[in-house]
């Protein structure tokens, strides 16, 4: 292998990392001590980058985890890099909890230090593993986007590179790293995908890992396009919004393709801190299409979806409880419509002379000569 060939992966890594980071000045790097994070720290440290701090979180999930923290500390001293550390008071009970604790530590450290970027060393193998894991679990189309390159101040500049490429870089610079024995345990589904499924896919179709990672990139780009479409649709169908929820134009919403309709609904529900599963979304979409006026369905997060004639109301239980009663005044026997609030619930009403069509089961008839106007509908 020539010197030029050996430098090719390094050149691509350095150019890509620099482009991904952009003009961010003070960087916090998550440093577990594993291959990927050591390579990322080396890429940023040499040539020198003065505004660079490493961060190591000890999950305390192994008896010897303190040795990793000690090794990382020694590496940072040797490379003259500042280091932030923390250790879990109690070992997390799951990988998900461990991840939440780790990111909470990273973001808190970044805020304290004034860092404008938090870098993690996820690579293409991690991306392919995530996409396969989500496929096996039954993800929707958004799940194919996998791990995002950027989310707020969180940046993952190595997602375009495989573990094999990082190993080649490490060999070139004779870098050492720590291996977490837990990463080889087949008790975890992700590890089985990493050590069994992906290697078999690579043997069957060399380059499969990189192609799956490219699929995630394409899905992420498609999601960005979807978000712009949904933003236009939301502006079209939302007639009114306040702190308690949204009023939607039902007929305009029904004019959209069912897939767009479902995405608009999920977007609005997320704004109200409601995240229904697939069955919940399907139930809500069915109600939008066929639910009768005056009825509603309960959704996760204390949100209620109601139909009032040609309008749909998405409101939180908190907003319903705080809603003040408002009477509806009917001036004369001529046709009209309006809304009123009774007992904290919103209602819509229409009135007209005999012969007008009204929803069956929701009508009452009166002799106008026996009424004294104006009338009020109230609690």
């Amino acid at each position: 292998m020539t010197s030029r060939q050996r430098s090719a992966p390094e050149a691509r890594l350095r150019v890509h990392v620099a482009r991904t980071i952009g003009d961010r000045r003070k960087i916090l790097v998550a440093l577990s001590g594993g291959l990927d994070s050591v390579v990322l720290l080396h890429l940023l440290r040499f040539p020198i980058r003065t505004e660079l701090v490493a961060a190591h979180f000890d999950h305390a999930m192994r008896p010897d985890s303190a040795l990793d923290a000690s090794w990382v500390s020694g590496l940072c001293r040797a490379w003259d890099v500042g280091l932030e550390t923390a250790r879990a008071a109690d070992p997390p009970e799951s990988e998900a909890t461990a991840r939440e604790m780790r990111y909470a530590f990273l973001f808190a450290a970044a805020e304290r230090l004034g860092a404008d970027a938090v870098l993690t060393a996820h690579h293409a193998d991690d991306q392919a593993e995530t996409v396969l894991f989500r496929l096996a679990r039954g993800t929707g189309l958004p799940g194919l986007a996998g791990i995002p390159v950027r989310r707020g101040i969180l940046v993952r500049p190595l997602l375009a590179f495989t573990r094999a490429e990082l190993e080649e870089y490490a060999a070139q610079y004779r870098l050492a790293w720590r291996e977490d024995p837990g990463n080889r345990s087949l008790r975890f589904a992700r590890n089985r995908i990493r050590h069994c499924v992906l290697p078999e896919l690579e043997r069957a179709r060399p380059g499969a890992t990189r192609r799956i990672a490219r699929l995630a990139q394409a899905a992420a780009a498609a999601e960005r396009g979807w978000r712009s479409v949904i933003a236009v649709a939301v502006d079209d169908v939302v007639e009114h919004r306040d702190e308690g929820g949204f009023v939607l134009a039902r007929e305009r919403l029904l004019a959209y393709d069912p897939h767009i309709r479902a995405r608009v609904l999920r977007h609005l529900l997320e704004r109200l801190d409601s995240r229904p599963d697939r069955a919940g979304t399907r139930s809500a979409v069915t109600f939008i299409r066929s639910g009768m006026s005056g009825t509603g369905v309960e959704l996760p997060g204390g949100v209620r979806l109601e139909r009032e004639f040609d309008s749909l109301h998405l409101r939180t239980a908190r907003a319903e409880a705080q809603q003040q009663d408002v009477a509806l005044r009917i001036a004369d026997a001529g046709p009209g419509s309006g809304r009123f609030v009774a007992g904290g619930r919103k209602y819509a009403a229409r009135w007209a002379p005999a012969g007008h069509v009204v929803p069956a089961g929701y009508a009452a008839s009166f002799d106008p000569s026996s009424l004294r106007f104006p009338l009020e509908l109230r609690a």
Side-chain angles (χ1 to χ4, degrees):
M1 181 181 289
T2 66
S3 173
R4 182 180 181 83
Q5 288 172 323
R6 283 197 304 271
S7 64
E10 176 188 1
R12 288 196 304 111
L13 274 163
R14 291 194 182 282
V15 168
H16 186 84
V17 169
R19 185 183 300 126
T20 306
I21 295 172
D23 60 356
R24 292 173 171 86
R25 296 178 300 279
K26 189 163 189 176
I27 292 174
L28 185 72
V29 181
L31 181 63
S32 67
L35 164 73
D36 42 7
S37 64
V38 169
V39 166
L40 179 59
L41 187 67
H42 189 272
L43 282 164
L44 295 168
R45 175 64 181 82
F46 304 101
I48 187 169
R49 185 169 187 132
T50 54
E51 293 294 301
L52 180 66
V53 180
H56 177 83
F57 185 75
D58 182 356
H59 300 93
M61 296 177 74
R62 306 190 327 269
D64 61 346
S65 65
L67 296 177
D68 292 345
S70 178
W71 187 89
V72 162
S73 179
L75 177 70
C76 289
R77 283 197 302 273
W79 288 1
D80 193 24
V81 174
L83 177 64
E84 293 284 314
T85 62
R87 178 181 171 87
D90 297 302
E93 297 180 354
S94 67
E95 291 292 313
T97 302
R99 184 168 57 251
E100 291 172 3
M101 294 170 66
R102 182 167 64 251
Y103 279 113
F105 157 69
L106 290 172
F107 290 135
E111 184 175 3
R112 185 171 62 256
L113 297 170
D116 51 9
V118 174
L119 271 57
T120 67
H122 293 87
H123 47 72
D125 294 54
D126 296 320
Q127 184 71 288
E129 170 196 317
T130 297
V131 171
L132 290 176
F133 181 78
R134 291 180 179 178
L135 278 171
R137 195 173 55 185
T139 186
L141 292 176
L144 293 179
I147 307 169
V149 175
R150 298 177 186 84
R151 179 174 289 166
I153 66 169
L154 186 63
V155 184
R156 301 176 174 102
L158 299 182
L159 277 179
F161 298 89
T162 64
R163 179 181 172 88
E165 289 173 305
L166 302 186
E167 288 174 341
E168 185 176 349
Y169 178 94
Q172 179 179 339
Y173 284 96
R174 299 179 181 177
L175 300 180
W177 63 87
R178 299 277 292 181
E179 289 286 358
D180 181 352
N183 288 337
R184 303 210 63 85
S185 171
L186 298 184
R187 290 191 305 112
F188 304 111
R190 284 183 176 274
N191 284 355
R192 290 197 293 275
I193 293 173
R194 181 183 308 160
H195 299 301
C196 302
V197 178
L198 276 175
E200 286 298 322
L201 279 174
E202 282 292 338
R203 278 189 281 272
R205 297 290 296 180
T209 298
R210 190 182 297 280
R211 284 191 287 273
I212 295 171
R214 281 204 295 267
L215 170 65
Q217 286 182 319
E223 276 302 298
R224 289 192 293 273
W226 267 111
R227 283 195 292 271
S228 65
V229 170
I230 297 308
V232 173
V234 166
D235 287 340
D236 180 36
V237 303
V238 174
E239 293 186 323
H240 176 70
R241 68 187 73 191
D242 56 35
E243 292 183 1
F246 303 90
V247 178
L248 315 180
R250 177 174 175 270
E251 293 302 322
R252 288 207 295 270
L253 182 58
L254 287 173
Y256 284 96
D257 179 88
H259 191 73
I260 296 179
R261 206 181 301 157
R263 286 201 173 219
V264 167
L265 179 63
R266 284 198 297 269
H267 172 84
L268 294 175
L269 287 172
E270 287 176 4
R271 298 273 296 274
L272 300 176
D273 294 324
S274 174
R275 291 172 174 78
D277 58 15
R278 189 173 300 174
T281 302
R282 186 165 55 246
S283 172
V285 170
T286 299
F287 175 80
I288 289 171
R289 187 179 65 250
S290 57
M292 297 182 65
S293 179
T295 62
V297 292
E298 302 295 333
L299 301 174
V303 175
R304 183 173 173 82
L305 171 62
E306 297 178 338
R307 179 183 172 187
E308 293 181 1
F309 298 115
D310 295 328
S311 294
L312 295 165
H313 294 251
L314 272 177
R315 297 190 67 81
T316 63
R318 181 180 65 257
E320 293 288 350
Q322 294 173 347
Q323 184 75 49
Q324 298 295 317
D325 284 4
V326 178
L328 172 61
R329 187 179 178 88
I330 301 175
D332 54 47
S337 64
R339 292 189 172 91
F340 65 102
V341 180
R345 292 282 301 278
K346 296 181 67 177
Y347 299 89
R350 290 178 180 174
W351 55 94
H356 285 68
V357 177
V358 295
Y362 295 91
S365 298
F366 303 91
D367 179 359
S369 64
S370 67
L371 302 177
R372 295 185 63 180
F373 291 92
L375 303 178
E376 279 193 347
L377 289 177
R378 54 188 171 83

